[in-house]
Amino acid sequence: MTPHDRLTTTLGLALDEDGFLTVGPDRQTAVPGPYAAGDLTTQWEQGAVSAAEAGAAAADAIHFAHRHRHRH
């Protein structure tokens, strides 16, 4: 199972050759704002690693939102 669906296509998120989301070391996608971790980013991660990365991605997303909330 891969994350390729209408949401990834609509947002323009980059996928690798296996259909998984590509992210940087901070788990941010190529599109500013969306972060991804765990099963969406690679088929080889184990549960504990996925959970830790999901937490890190959530923290990065909160930090991103906080930095950009007063720019509108």
Short mmCIF file of all heavy atoms in Angstrom, two decimals:
data_model
loop_
_atom_site.label_atom_id
_atom_site.label_comp_id
_atom_site.label_asym_id
_atom_site.label_seq_id
_atom_site.Cartn_x
_atom_site.Cartn_y
_atom_site.Cartn_z
N MET A 1 0.84 -1.18 0.00
CA MET A 1 0.00 0.00 0.00
C MET A 1 0.89 1.24 0.00
O MET A 1 1.84 1.34 0.75
CB MET A 1 -0.88 0.00 1.24
CG MET A 1 -1.89 1.12 1.23
SD MET A 1 -3.21 0.84 2.42
CE MET A 1 -2.61 1.79 3.77
N THR A 2 0.58 2.20 -0.86
CA THR A 2 1.33 3.45 -0.93
C THR A 2 0.40 4.62 -0.69
O THR A 2 -0.81 4.51 -0.85
CB THR A 2 2.02 3.60 -2.30
OG1 THR A 2 1.02 3.66 -3.30
CG2 THR A 2 2.98 2.46 -2.57
N PRO A 3 0.96 5.78 -0.33
CA PRO A 3 0.13 6.94 -0.03
C PRO A 3 -0.37 7.69 -1.24
O PRO A 3 -0.99 8.74 -1.10
CB PRO A 3 1.07 7.81 0.80
CG PRO A 3 2.41 7.49 0.27
CD PRO A 3 2.36 6.02 -0.04
N HIS A 4 -0.09 7.20 -2.44
CA HIS A 4 -0.52 7.92 -3.64
C HIS A 4 -2.04 7.95 -3.71
O HIS A 4 -2.70 6.93 -3.88
CB HIS A 4 0.06 7.26 -4.90
CG HIS A 4 -0.27 8.02 -6.15
ND1 HIS A 4 0.35 9.20 -6.44
CD2 HIS A 4 -1.15 7.77 -7.12
CE1 HIS A 4 -0.15 9.65 -7.59
NE2 HIS A 4 -1.05 8.80 -8.02
N ASP A 5 -2.60 9.11 -3.56
CA ASP A 5 -4.05 9.28 -3.63
C ASP A 5 -4.35 10.70 -4.10
O ASP A 5 -3.46 11.45 -4.47
CB ASP A 5 -4.72 8.96 -2.30
CG ASP A 5 -4.32 9.91 -1.18
OD1 ASP A 5 -3.70 10.95 -1.45
OD2 ASP A 5 -4.64 9.61 -0.02
N ARG A 6 -5.59 11.04 -4.06
CA ARG A 6 -6.01 12.35 -4.55
C ARG A 6 -5.38 13.50 -3.76
O ARG A 6 -5.03 14.52 -4.34
CB ARG A 6 -7.54 12.45 -4.50
CG ARG A 6 -8.06 13.62 -5.31
CD ARG A 6 -9.56 13.67 -5.37
NE ARG A 6 -10.14 12.34 -5.53
CZ ARG A 6 -11.39 12.04 -5.25
NH1 ARG A 6 -12.21 12.97 -4.81
NH2 ARG A 6 -11.86 10.83 -5.41
N LEU A 7 -5.20 13.33 -2.46
CA LEU A 7 -4.62 14.40 -1.64
C LEU A 7 -3.17 14.68 -2.04
O LEU A 7 -2.78 15.82 -2.21
CB LEU A 7 -4.70 14.06 -0.15
CG LEU A 7 -4.12 15.11 0.79
CD1 LEU A 7 -4.86 16.44 0.65
CD2 LEU A 7 -4.18 14.61 2.23
N THR A 8 -2.37 13.63 -2.21
CA THR A 8 -0.98 13.85 -2.60
C THR A 8 -0.90 14.51 -3.97
O THR A 8 -0.07 15.38 -4.20
CB THR A 8 -0.16 12.54 -2.59
OG1 THR A 8 -0.74 11.61 -3.50
CG2 THR A 8 -0.09 11.95 -1.22
N THR A 9 -1.77 14.12 -4.87
CA THR A 9 -1.80 14.70 -6.21
C THR A 9 -2.25 16.16 -6.16
O THR A 9 -1.63 17.03 -6.77
CB THR A 9 -2.72 13.88 -7.13
OG1 THR A 9 -2.27 12.53 -7.16
CG2 THR A 9 -2.73 14.44 -8.54
N THR A 10 -3.31 16.43 -5.40
CA THR A 10 -3.84 17.79 -5.30
C THR A 10 -2.82 18.75 -4.70
O THR A 10 -2.67 19.87 -5.16
CB THR A 10 -5.13 17.79 -4.44
OG1 THR A 10 -6.09 16.94 -5.07
CG2 THR A 10 -5.70 19.18 -4.30
N LEU A 11 -2.11 18.29 -3.67
CA LEU A 11 -1.12 19.15 -3.01
C LEU A 11 0.18 19.24 -3.79
O LEU A 11 1.02 20.08 -3.49
CB LEU A 11 -0.84 18.63 -1.59
CG LEU A 11 -1.98 18.74 -0.60
CD1 LEU A 11 -1.58 18.13 0.73
CD2 LEU A 11 -2.39 20.20 -0.41
N GLY A 12 0.38 18.36 -4.76
CA GLY A 12 1.60 18.37 -5.54
C GLY A 12 2.79 17.80 -4.79
O GLY A 12 3.93 18.19 -5.03
N LEU A 13 2.53 16.86 -3.88
CA LEU A 13 3.60 16.26 -3.10
C LEU A 13 4.41 15.29 -3.96
O LEU A 13 3.85 14.54 -4.74
CB LEU A 13 3.02 15.53 -1.88
CG LEU A 13 2.20 16.41 -0.93
CD1 LEU A 13 1.59 15.57 0.16
CD2 LEU A 13 3.04 17.52 -0.35
N ALA A 14 5.73 15.33 -3.80
CA ALA A 14 6.61 14.47 -4.59
C ALA A 14 6.62 13.05 -4.03
O ALA A 14 6.64 12.84 -2.82
CB ALA A 14 8.03 15.04 -4.57
N LEU A 15 6.60 12.09 -4.95
CA LEU A 15 6.65 10.68 -4.58
C LEU A 15 7.93 10.07 -5.14
O LEU A 15 8.41 10.46 -6.21
CB LEU A 15 5.44 9.94 -5.15
CG LEU A 15 4.06 10.45 -4.72
CD1 LEU A 15 2.97 9.73 -5.50
CD2 LEU A 15 3.87 10.28 -3.24
N ASP A 16 8.47 9.09 -4.42
CA ASP A 16 9.65 8.39 -4.94
C ASP A 16 9.22 7.34 -5.95
O ASP A 16 8.03 7.20 -6.26
CB ASP A 16 10.50 7.80 -3.80
CG ASP A 16 9.81 6.67 -3.05
OD1 ASP A 16 8.79 6.12 -3.52
OD2 ASP A 16 10.31 6.31 -1.96
N GLU A 17 10.18 6.58 -6.48
CA GLU A 17 9.87 5.60 -7.52
C GLU A 17 8.95 4.47 -7.04
O GLU A 17 8.32 3.79 -7.85
CB GLU A 17 11.16 5.01 -8.11
CG GLU A 17 12.01 4.25 -7.12
CD GLU A 17 12.94 5.12 -6.28
OE1 GLU A 17 13.00 6.35 -6.50
OE2 GLU A 17 13.62 4.56 -5.41
N ASP A 18 8.85 4.30 -5.71
CA ASP A 18 7.96 3.27 -5.16
C ASP A 18 6.60 3.82 -4.75
O ASP A 18 5.76 3.10 -4.23
CB ASP A 18 8.62 2.60 -3.96
CG ASP A 18 9.85 1.80 -4.35
OD1 ASP A 18 9.81 1.14 -5.41
OD2 ASP A 18 10.85 1.86 -3.63
N GLY A 19 6.38 5.14 -4.96
CA GLY A 19 5.10 5.74 -4.64
C GLY A 19 4.98 6.29 -3.24
O GLY A 19 3.88 6.62 -2.79
N PHE A 20 6.09 6.42 -2.51
CA PHE A 20 6.07 6.97 -1.17
C PHE A 20 6.47 8.43 -1.19
O PHE A 20 7.23 8.86 -2.06
CB PHE A 20 7.00 6.16 -0.25
CG PHE A 20 6.49 4.77 0.01
CD1 PHE A 20 6.84 3.74 -0.84
CD2 PHE A 20 5.64 4.51 1.06
CE1 PHE A 20 6.36 2.46 -0.63
CE2 PHE A 20 5.15 3.23 1.28
CZ PHE A 20 5.50 2.21 0.43
N LEU A 21 5.98 9.20 -0.23
CA LEU A 21 6.29 10.62 -0.16
C LEU A 21 7.77 10.85 0.09
O LEU A 21 8.38 10.17 0.91
CB LEU A 21 5.50 11.28 0.96
CG LEU A 21 3.99 11.35 0.78
CD1 LEU A 21 3.32 11.87 2.04
CD2 LEU A 21 3.64 12.23 -0.40
N THR A 22 8.34 11.83 -0.62
CA THR A 22 9.72 12.21 -0.36
C THR A 22 9.72 13.38 0.62
O THR A 22 8.91 14.31 0.49
CB THR A 22 10.45 12.60 -1.65
OG1 THR A 22 9.75 13.67 -2.29
CG2 THR A 22 10.53 11.42 -2.60
N VAL A 23 10.59 13.30 1.60
CA VAL A 23 10.70 14.34 2.62
C VAL A 23 12.16 14.62 2.90
O VAL A 23 13.04 13.79 2.63
CB VAL A 23 10.00 13.93 3.93
CG1 VAL A 23 8.50 13.80 3.74
CG2 VAL A 23 10.57 12.64 4.50
N GLY A 24 12.43 15.78 3.48
CA GLY A 24 13.78 16.14 3.90
C GLY A 24 14.07 15.58 5.27
O GLY A 24 13.22 14.92 5.89
N PRO A 25 15.26 15.86 5.80
CA PRO A 25 15.64 15.34 7.11
C PRO A 25 14.71 15.82 8.23
O PRO A 25 14.57 15.15 9.24
CB PRO A 25 17.05 15.89 7.33
CG PRO A 25 17.52 16.38 6.02
CD PRO A 25 16.32 16.60 5.15
N ASP A 26 14.08 16.98 8.03
CA ASP A 26 13.14 17.49 9.03
C ASP A 26 11.72 16.98 8.81
O ASP A 26 10.80 17.39 9.47
CB ASP A 26 13.14 19.02 9.04
CG ASP A 26 12.67 19.62 7.71
OD1 ASP A 26 12.45 18.86 6.74
OD2 ASP A 26 12.53 20.84 7.65
N ARG A 27 11.55 16.06 7.84
CA ARG A 27 10.29 15.41 7.49
C ARG A 27 9.33 16.32 6.74
O ARG A 27 8.18 15.99 6.53
CB ARG A 27 9.59 14.81 8.72
CG ARG A 27 10.48 13.97 9.62
CD ARG A 27 11.30 12.95 8.90
NE ARG A 27 10.50 11.84 8.44
CZ ARG A 27 10.93 10.86 7.66
NH1 ARG A 27 12.16 10.86 7.25
NH2 ARG A 27 10.16 9.90 7.29
N GLN A 28 9.79 17.51 6.30
CA GLN A 28 8.94 18.39 5.51
C GLN A 28 8.97 17.94 4.06
O GLN A 28 10.00 17.53 3.54
CB GLN A 28 9.40 19.85 5.59
CG GLN A 28 8.46 20.77 4.84
CD GLN A 28 8.71 22.24 5.13
OE1 GLN A 28 9.38 22.58 6.08
NE2 GLN A 28 8.14 23.09 4.32
N THR A 29 7.81 18.02 3.42
CA THR A 29 7.72 17.68 2.00
C THR A 29 8.28 18.83 1.17
O THR A 29 8.66 19.87 1.71
CB THR A 29 6.25 17.43 1.60
OG1 THR A 29 5.52 18.66 1.75
CG2 THR A 29 5.61 16.34 2.43
N ALA A 30 8.35 18.66 -0.13
CA ALA A 30 8.84 19.71 -1.01
C ALA A 30 7.89 20.91 -1.06
O ALA A 30 8.27 21.99 -1.48
CB ALA A 30 9.05 19.16 -2.42
N VAL A 31 6.66 20.73 -0.61
CA VAL A 31 5.66 21.80 -0.56
C VAL A 31 5.70 22.40 0.84
O VAL A 31 5.56 21.67 1.83
CB VAL A 31 4.25 21.25 -0.86
CG1 VAL A 31 3.21 22.33 -0.74
CG2 VAL A 31 4.21 20.61 -2.23
N PRO A 32 5.93 23.72 0.98
CA PRO A 32 5.97 24.32 2.31
C PRO A 32 4.69 24.08 3.08
O PRO A 32 3.59 24.32 2.58
CB PRO A 32 6.16 25.81 2.02
CG PRO A 32 6.80 25.85 0.68
CD PRO A 32 6.20 24.68 -0.07
N GLY A 33 4.83 23.56 4.30
CA GLY A 33 3.67 23.32 5.16
C GLY A 33 3.45 21.86 5.49
O GLY A 33 3.49 21.50 6.65
N PRO A 34 3.19 21.00 4.51
CA PRO A 34 2.94 19.59 4.83
C PRO A 34 4.21 18.86 5.27
O PRO A 34 5.26 18.99 4.66
CB PRO A 34 2.44 19.00 3.51
CG PRO A 34 1.99 20.15 2.69
CD PRO A 34 2.86 21.30 3.11
N TYR A 35 4.07 18.10 6.36
CA TYR A 35 5.12 17.23 6.87
C TYR A 35 4.60 15.81 6.81
O TYR A 35 3.39 15.59 6.87
CB TYR A 35 5.47 17.58 8.32
CG TYR A 35 6.20 18.89 8.45
CD1 TYR A 35 5.52 20.10 8.38
CD2 TYR A 35 7.56 18.92 8.66
CE1 TYR A 35 6.19 21.31 8.50
CE2 TYR A 35 8.25 20.12 8.78
CZ TYR A 35 7.56 21.31 8.71
OH TYR A 35 8.22 22.49 8.82
N ALA A 36 5.49 14.85 6.70
CA ALA A 36 5.07 13.45 6.64
C ALA A 36 6.08 12.57 7.37
O ALA A 36 7.25 12.91 7.47
CB ALA A 36 4.93 12.99 5.19
N ALA A 37 5.59 11.44 7.87
CA ALA A 37 6.47 10.50 8.57
C ALA A 37 5.88 9.11 8.50
O ALA A 37 4.73 8.92 8.11
CB ALA A 37 6.63 10.93 10.03
N GLY A 38 6.68 8.16 8.89
CA GLY A 38 6.19 6.79 9.05
C GLY A 38 5.89 6.10 7.74
O GLY A 38 6.63 6.20 6.78
N ASP A 39 4.79 5.40 7.73
CA ASP A 39 4.43 4.55 6.60
C ASP A 39 4.20 5.31 5.30
O ASP A 39 4.23 4.73 4.23
CB ASP A 39 3.17 3.74 6.91
CG ASP A 39 3.40 2.74 8.02
OD1 ASP A 39 4.58 2.44 8.31
OD2 ASP A 39 2.43 2.26 8.60
N LEU A 40 3.98 6.60 5.38
CA LEU A 40 3.80 7.40 4.16
C LEU A 40 5.11 7.67 3.44
O LEU A 40 5.12 7.97 2.26
CB LEU A 40 3.14 8.74 4.50
CG LEU A 40 1.73 8.71 5.04
CD1 LEU A 40 1.30 10.11 5.43
CD2 LEU A 40 0.79 8.11 4.03
N THR A 41 6.21 7.60 4.17
CA THR A 41 7.48 8.02 3.59
C THR A 41 8.38 6.90 3.13
O THR A 41 9.26 7.11 2.33
CB THR A 41 8.26 8.90 4.58
OG1 THR A 41 8.49 8.15 5.78
CG2 THR A 41 7.49 10.16 4.91
N THR A 42 8.20 5.71 3.63
CA THR A 42 9.00 4.58 3.18
C THR A 42 8.34 3.29 3.59
O THR A 42 7.66 3.24 4.60
CB THR A 42 10.45 4.64 3.71
OG1 THR A 42 11.16 3.51 3.21
CG2 THR A 42 10.52 4.62 5.21
N GLN A 43 8.56 2.26 2.84
CA GLN A 43 7.92 1.00 3.18
C GLN A 43 8.74 0.19 4.18
O GLN A 43 8.31 -0.86 4.64
CB GLN A 43 7.71 0.17 1.92
CG GLN A 43 8.99 -0.24 1.23
CD GLN A 43 8.73 -0.81 -0.14
OE1 GLN A 43 8.09 -0.18 -0.98
NE2 GLN A 43 9.22 -2.00 -0.38
N TRP A 44 9.92 0.65 4.60
CA TRP A 44 10.80 -0.15 5.45
C TRP A 44 10.83 0.29 6.90
O TRP A 44 11.49 -0.34 7.71
CB TRP A 44 12.22 -0.13 4.89
CG TRP A 44 12.24 -0.59 3.47
CD1 TRP A 44 12.57 0.16 2.38
CD2 TRP A 44 11.90 -1.88 2.96
NE1 TRP A 44 12.46 -0.57 1.24
CE2 TRP A 44 12.05 -1.84 1.56
CE3 TRP A 44 11.48 -3.07 3.54
CZ2 TRP A 44 11.80 -2.93 0.75
CZ3 TRP A 44 11.23 -4.15 2.73
CH2 TRP A 44 11.39 -4.08 1.36
N GLU A 45 10.18 1.38 7.28
CA GLU A 45 10.24 1.82 8.67
C GLU A 45 9.46 0.89 9.58
O GLU A 45 8.42 0.36 9.22
CB GLU A 45 9.68 3.23 8.80
CG GLU A 45 10.59 4.25 8.17
CD GLU A 45 10.06 5.65 8.34
OE1 GLU A 45 8.86 5.83 8.56
OE2 GLU A 45 10.87 6.57 8.25
N GLN A 46 9.95 0.72 10.78
CA GLN A 46 9.26 -0.10 11.77
C GLN A 46 8.38 0.78 12.63
O GLN A 46 8.52 2.00 12.66
CB GLN A 46 10.27 -0.85 12.62
CG GLN A 46 11.11 -1.81 11.79
CD GLN A 46 12.19 -2.47 12.63
OE1 GLN A 46 12.26 -2.27 13.83
NE2 GLN A 46 13.03 -3.24 11.98
N GLY A 47 7.48 0.16 13.38
CA GLY A 47 6.50 0.89 14.18
C GLY A 47 7.07 1.92 15.12
O GLY A 47 6.60 3.05 15.18
N ALA A 48 8.10 1.58 15.89
CA ALA A 48 8.66 2.53 16.86
C ALA A 48 9.28 3.72 16.15
O ALA A 48 9.13 4.87 16.59
CB ALA A 48 9.70 1.83 17.72
N VAL A 49 9.96 3.47 15.05
CA VAL A 49 10.56 4.56 14.29
C VAL A 49 9.46 5.44 13.71
O VAL A 49 9.54 6.67 13.74
CB VAL A 49 11.48 4.01 13.18
CG1 VAL A 49 11.98 5.13 12.27
CG2 VAL A 49 12.64 3.25 13.79
N SER A 50 8.41 4.82 13.20
CA SER A 50 7.30 5.58 12.63
C SER A 50 6.66 6.48 13.68
O SER A 50 6.35 7.64 13.41
CB SER A 50 6.25 4.63 12.06
OG SER A 50 6.79 3.90 10.99
N ALA A 51 6.46 5.95 14.87
CA ALA A 51 5.83 6.75 15.94
C ALA A 51 6.72 7.93 16.33
O ALA A 51 6.22 9.05 16.50
CB ALA A 51 5.56 5.86 17.15
N ALA A 52 8.01 7.69 16.46
CA ALA A 52 8.92 8.77 16.81
C ALA A 52 8.96 9.84 15.73
O ALA A 52 8.94 11.04 16.01
CB ALA A 52 10.33 8.21 17.06
N GLU A 53 9.00 9.40 14.47
CA GLU A 53 9.03 10.36 13.38
C GLU A 53 7.72 11.12 13.25
O GLU A 53 7.70 12.29 12.88
CB GLU A 53 9.40 9.67 12.08
CG GLU A 53 10.85 9.27 12.06
CD GLU A 53 11.27 8.67 10.73
OE1 GLU A 53 10.40 8.32 9.92
OE2 GLU A 53 12.49 8.56 10.52
N ALA A 54 6.62 10.46 13.55
CA ALA A 54 5.33 11.15 13.51
C ALA A 54 5.30 12.26 14.54
O ALA A 54 4.81 13.36 14.27
CB ALA A 54 4.19 10.15 13.74
N GLY A 55 5.83 11.99 15.71
CA GLY A 55 5.91 13.03 16.74
C GLY A 55 6.80 14.18 16.32
O GLY A 55 6.46 15.35 16.52
N ALA A 56 7.92 13.86 15.71
CA ALA A 56 8.83 14.91 15.23
C ALA A 56 8.17 15.72 14.12
O ALA A 56 8.30 16.95 14.07
CB ALA A 56 10.14 14.29 14.73
N ALA A 57 7.45 15.06 13.22
CA ALA A 57 6.76 15.77 12.13
C ALA A 57 5.69 16.68 12.70
O ALA A 57 5.51 17.81 12.22
CB ALA A 57 6.15 14.77 11.15
N ALA A 58 4.98 16.22 13.71
CA ALA A 58 3.95 17.06 14.34
C ALA A 58 4.58 18.30 14.96
O ALA A 58 4.07 19.41 14.82
CB ALA A 58 3.19 16.26 15.39
N ALA A 59 5.70 18.12 15.65
CA ALA A 59 6.40 19.26 16.25
C ALA A 59 6.87 20.24 15.18
O ALA A 59 6.73 21.46 15.35
CB ALA A 59 7.57 18.77 17.09
N ASP A 60 7.42 19.72 14.09
CA ASP A 60 7.85 20.60 12.99
C ASP A 60 6.67 21.34 12.38
O ASP A 60 6.77 22.53 12.05
CB ASP A 60 8.56 19.79 11.90
CG ASP A 60 9.94 19.33 12.33
OD1 ASP A 60 10.53 19.94 13.24
OD2 ASP A 60 10.43 18.35 11.73
N ALA A 61 5.54 20.68 12.22
CA ALA A 61 4.35 21.32 11.65
C ALA A 61 3.84 22.42 12.57
O ALA A 61 3.45 23.50 12.11
CB ALA A 61 3.26 20.28 11.40
N ILE A 62 3.85 22.18 13.88
CA ILE A 62 3.41 23.20 14.84
C ILE A 62 4.35 24.39 14.77
O ILE A 62 3.92 25.55 14.75
CB ILE A 62 3.34 22.61 16.25
CG1 ILE A 62 2.18 21.62 16.33
CG2 ILE A 62 3.20 23.71 17.30
CD1 ILE A 62 2.18 20.76 17.57
N HIS A 63 5.64 24.13 14.71
CA HIS A 63 6.63 25.21 14.61
C HIS A 63 6.42 26.01 13.33
O HIS A 63 6.43 27.24 13.34
CB HIS A 63 8.04 24.63 14.66
CG HIS A 63 9.11 25.65 14.59
ND1 HIS A 63 9.36 26.53 15.61
CD2 HIS A 63 10.01 25.94 13.61
CE1 HIS A 63 10.36 27.32 15.26
NE2 HIS A 63 10.77 26.98 14.06
N PHE A 64 6.19 25.33 12.20
CA PHE A 64 5.93 26.00 10.93
C PHE A 64 4.69 26.89 11.04
O PHE A 64 4.70 28.05 10.64
CB PHE A 64 5.73 24.97 9.82
CG PHE A 64 5.39 25.57 8.49
CD1 PHE A 64 6.39 25.98 7.61
CD2 PHE A 64 4.07 25.74 8.10
CE1 PHE A 64 6.07 26.54 6.39
CE2 PHE A 64 3.75 26.31 6.89
CZ PHE A 64 4.75 26.71 6.03
N ALA A 65 3.61 26.35 11.60
CA ALA A 65 2.36 27.10 11.72
C ALA A 65 2.56 28.33 12.61
O ALA A 65 2.05 29.41 12.31
CB ALA A 65 1.27 26.20 12.27
N HIS A 66 3.30 28.17 13.68
CA HIS A 66 3.54 29.29 14.60
C HIS A 66 4.34 30.39 13.91
O HIS A 66 4.03 31.57 14.06
CB HIS A 66 4.30 28.79 15.83
CG HIS A 66 4.48 29.85 16.87
ND1 HIS A 66 5.62 30.62 16.92
CD2 HIS A 66 3.68 30.28 17.86
CE1 HIS A 66 5.51 31.49 17.90
NE2 HIS A 66 4.34 31.30 18.49
N ARG A 67 5.34 30.01 13.12
CA ARG A 67 6.15 31.01 12.40
C ARG A 67 5.33 31.77 11.37
O ARG A 67 5.62 32.92 11.07
CB ARG A 67 7.31 30.34 11.69
CG ARG A 67 8.44 29.93 12.55
CD ARG A 67 9.66 29.53 11.71
NE ARG A 67 9.30 28.87 10.47
CZ ARG A 67 9.67 27.63 10.14
NH1 ARG A 67 10.40 26.92 10.94
NH2 ARG A 67 9.29 27.12 8.99
N HIS A 68 4.34 31.13 10.77
CA HIS A 68 3.62 31.72 9.64
C HIS A 68 2.24 32.25 9.98
O HIS A 68 1.57 32.78 9.11
CB HIS A 68 3.52 30.69 8.50
CG HIS A 68 4.84 30.39 7.89
ND1 HIS A 68 5.69 29.44 8.40
CD2 HIS A 68 5.49 30.96 6.86
CE1 HIS A 68 6.79 29.41 7.70
NE2 HIS A 68 6.70 30.32 6.75
N ARG A 69 1.79 32.14 11.19
CA ARG A 69 0.41 32.52 11.48
C ARG A 69 0.17 34.02 11.42
O ARG A 69 -0.93 34.46 11.20
CB ARG A 69 -0.06 31.95 12.79
CG ARG A 69 0.45 32.64 14.01
CD ARG A 69 -0.19 32.08 15.24
NE ARG A 69 0.52 32.59 16.39
CZ ARG A 69 0.30 32.21 17.59
NH1 ARG A 69 -0.60 31.31 17.83
NH2 ARG A 69 0.97 32.73 18.58
N HIS A 70 1.17 34.85 11.59
CA HIS A 70 0.97 36.30 11.57
C HIS A 70 1.39 36.93 10.25
O HIS A 70 1.44 38.15 10.12
CB HIS A 70 1.75 36.95 12.72
CG HIS A 70 1.25 36.56 14.06
ND1 HIS A 70 -0.02 36.88 14.51
CD2 HIS A 70 1.82 35.84 15.04
CE1 HIS A 70 -0.19 36.41 15.71
NE2 HIS A 70 0.91 35.75 16.07
N ARG A 71 1.64 36.11 9.24
CA ARG A 71 2.09 36.64 7.94
C ARG A 71 0.94 37.01 7.03
O ARG A 71 1.15 37.57 5.98
CB ARG A 71 2.99 35.62 7.24
CG ARG A 71 4.32 35.48 7.91
CD ARG A 71 5.21 34.63 7.08
NE ARG A 71 6.52 34.59 7.67
CZ ARG A 71 7.54 33.99 7.13
NH1 ARG A 71 7.40 33.36 5.98
NH2 ARG A 71 8.71 33.98 7.72
N HIS A 72 -0.26 36.67 7.37
CA HIS A 72 -1.39 36.91 6.45
C HIS A 72 -1.87 38.28 6.56
O HIS A 72 -2.13 39.04 7.19
CB HIS A 72 -2.53 35.93 6.71
CG HIS A 72 -2.09 34.51 6.48
ND1 HIS A 72 -1.80 34.02 5.25
CD2 HIS A 72 -1.85 33.51 7.36
CE1 HIS A 72 -1.45 32.77 5.35
NE2 HIS A 72 -1.45 32.42 6.63
#
